């Protein structure tokens, strides 16, 4: 987000995702990831899903 000059407030305004939801994603406090939220984040941040989620085995 920072490399694009964005903060959570700006991403909220771009995507319509509630700020509280963005805050939970940012703090990694999400139990289930919503595909709609992830898609909106990828579009707003101009990135791929692999940039948002890391699979750790």
């Amino acid at each position: 987000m920072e490399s694009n000059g964005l903060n959570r407030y700006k991403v909220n305004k771009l995507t319509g995702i509630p700020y509280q939801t963005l805050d939970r994603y940012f703090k990694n406090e999400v139990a289930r990831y919503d595909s709609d939220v992830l898609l909106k984040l990828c579009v707003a941040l101009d990135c791929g899903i692999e940039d948002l989620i890391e699979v750790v085995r």
Side-chain angles (χ1 to χ4, degrees):
M1 289 182 351
E2 292 173 4
S3 64
N4 289 340
L6 297 172
N7 57 30
R8 283 176 269 179
Y9 177 77
K10 289 180 183 177
V11 172
N12 161 258
K13 294 303 176 192
L14 284 172
T15 63
I17 300 169
Y19 184 86
Q20 294 82 2
T21 301
L22 287 173
D23 194 49
R24 285 193 303 270
Y25 273 74
F26 184 79
K27 293 177 180 176
N28 199 25
E29 297 174 347
V30 180
R32 293 185 182 166
Y33 292 91
D34 185 325
S35 61
D36 290 336
V37 171
L38 293 173
L39 176 61
K40 289 177 182 180
L41 288 172
C42 286
V43 170
L45 301 175
D46 191 30
C47 67
I49 191 78
E50 67 278 0
D51 296 319
L52 300 177
I53 297 177
E54 178 183 0
V55 177
V56 177
R57 294 177 193 249

